[in-house]
Amino acid sequence: MRSLPYVTGAAAAAAVVVLAAAPVAADDSGFTIQDSRITESSGLAASRVHPGIYWTHNDQDEPRVFAVDSKTGETVATITLSGVGKPRDMEAISVGTDGNVYVGDIGDNLNGSWDHVWIYRFTEPKTLKDMTVRAKQYTVKYADGARNAEAMMVHPKTGRVYIASKNEDGGGLYEGPETLSPTRTNVFRRMGEVPWVTDGAFSPDGKELVLRSYFSARGYEWKNRGLGADHRVSAPIQGQAESVTYTADGKALMFGSEGEQSEVKRVPLGKESVSEGGSKSPSENGSPAAEDSDRSSFMYGLIVLAGATALVFGVKRLLRRD
């Protein structure tokens, strides 16, 4: 979570105002978060136990997560975590195959000021109600030094945890140990290059990884514990694009954003080749096609923001004349 790169706060705010004012087509399969406590929804994960329920959380908050009903947008349970310290910057959430929910307290807005971050894990409750649960806390360090990150993904077949770092020039994909240890530091090692990332999610079958940024998203085949061929994934333009998860059946992606009564949008799955010859596999230095596509999407986003800013200032000028 934080302001858009290279975009002023005024421009971002103007875009949010204009986009919020524009008519939106009804989509019963998406939802709007109704809980006034959820103002900075920074992560999103589909429940494996309760159909239609999505877990989310604020970023700088108490150690708590919210279970939101996608039919109504209402919070049906608030889970408070005990046995962990005060979170610094919770940015991601994922549901593992072991029946546990993982919360990534992995944000670092000073880009490497903290030499370690944390992951919290608790058992997904069978009954949804407000409760306090005992959680495990894992200390995490990166083999190549501290960094900022907003995306944490648990592979649905192996249970291995991955983190994607966030950087203006592109980030890295980091793999955690085979099993996280609550008693010693867990070292995550860089295994690939990725674009600017605000969240990510594995498909329920574990065959694909989707990573989103502010203005775009990409899907990667997951082969031999690593990134394979990539392709563009349709993603909505949102005021502060922060989260993504697959639906439990794997048929669609759910994209979330920050803000009061933020909207979660459902996008049916579909692939768009990054070139006429088909998808390209990312090299050790990242995929040029992916970088060009994301750069184009980012420029489109800037145009949207610039247009929104001009419109807002134009309206203000007319009002002054009247």
Side-chain angles (χ1 to χ4, degrees):
M1 171 273 181
R2 283 301 166 259
S3 59
L4 307 182
Y6 313 118
V7 181
T8 65
V16 174
V17 170
V18 173
L19 291 174
V24 179
D27 183 0
D28 294 337
S29 54
F31 62 96
T32 298
I33 295 175
Q34 302 296 325
D35 194 329
S36 61
R37 297 172 297 172
I38 306 174
T39 58
E40 294 181 313
S41 175
S42 294
L44 195 67
S47 170
R48 297 294 187 269
V49 177
H50 307 283
I53 297 298
Y54 288 84
W55 294 103
T56 190
H57 56 84
N58 290 313
D59 61 352
Q60 294 172 325
D61 198 3
E62 299 302 316
R64 62 181 179 177
V65 299
F66 306 92
V68 180
D69 188 343
S70 61
K71 292 182 179 179
T72 63
E74 299 286 353
T75 297
V76 293
T78 301
I79 308 299
T80 301
L81 309 182
S82 68
V84 303
K86 181 174 177 58
R88 289 186 296 206
D89 194 356
M90 298 195 305
E91 291 287 356
I93 191 166
S94 184
V95 179
T97 56
D98 54 2
N100 289 306
V101 179
Y102 293 72
V103 182
D105 189 1
I106 56 176
D108 187 342
N109 293 311
L110 298 179
N111 286 317
S113 61
W114 297 320
D115 65 354
H116 69 278
V117 291
W118 297 298
I119 292 173
Y120 313 127
R121 190 190 78 179
F122 67 95
T123 301
E124 188 169 14
K126 295 181 179 180
T127 301
L128 290 177
K129 62 180 181 179
D130 293 352
M131 67 178 75
T132 297
V133 301
R134 187 77 179 177
K136 288 188 176 181
Q137 178 171 305
Y138 303 96
T139 299
V140 169
K141 287 188 175 183
Y142 302 98
D144 54 356
R147 58 205 60 249
N148 186 28
E150 294 189 7
M152 179 201 68
M153 300 74 62
V154 181
H155 193 274
K157 300 301 181 181
T158 66
R160 204 154 191 155
V161 182
Y162 297 84
I163 294 175
S165 65
K166 177 182 176 184
N167 187 280
E168 292 177 1
D169 298 322
L173 182 64
Y174 290 81
E175 182 182 62
E178 184 175 357
T179 303
L180 295 179
S181 170
T183 58
R184 64 177 184 271
T185 299
N186 297 274
V187 179
F188 278 59
R189 304 186 184 281
R190 196 179 187 106
M191 56 172 295
E193 308 302 310
V194 295
W196 176 288
V197 174
T198 60
D199 200 13
F202 280 108
S203 59
D205 61 10
K207 295 181 179 180
E208 184 161 284
L209 173 65
V210 165
L211 299 173
R212 85 165 299 182
S213 64
Y214 287 119
F215 300 118
S216 64
R218 299 203 71 77
Y220 297 84
E221 290 183 68
W222 190 255
K223 289 185 175 180
N224 302 318
R225 272 177 41 201
L227 299 173
D230 67 302
H231 56 271
R232 185 181 301 127
V233 174
S234 177
I237 296 295
Q238 295 174 296
Q240 183 78 17
E242 284 290 327
S243 58
V244 65
T245 188
Y246 278 83
T247 54
D249 60 11
K251 295 182 179 180
L253 289 165
M254 303 292 279
F255 291 90
S257 63
E258 288 194 356
E260 295 182 2
Q261 291 193 317
S262 59
E263 187 177 6
V264 176
K265 294 186 177 182
R266 183 182 189 274
V267 177
L269 283 175
K271 296 183 179 181
E272 181 177 349
S273 170
V274 297
S275 68
E276 292 183 359
S279 298
K280 295 183 178 179
S281 298
S283 68
E284 292 182 356
N285 296 320
S287 167
E291 292 172 1
D292 290 343
S293 173
D294 290 337
R295 190 175 296 112
S296 297
S297 296
F298 180 73
M299 291 305 299
Y300 172 75
L302 289 180
I303 293 171
V304 171
L305 292 177
T309 303
L311 179 58
V312 168
F313 282 112
V315 170
K316 287 183 177 181
R317 187 171 299 175
L318 289 173
L319 291 175
R320 284 199 297 268
R321 287 179 179 176
D322 292 340

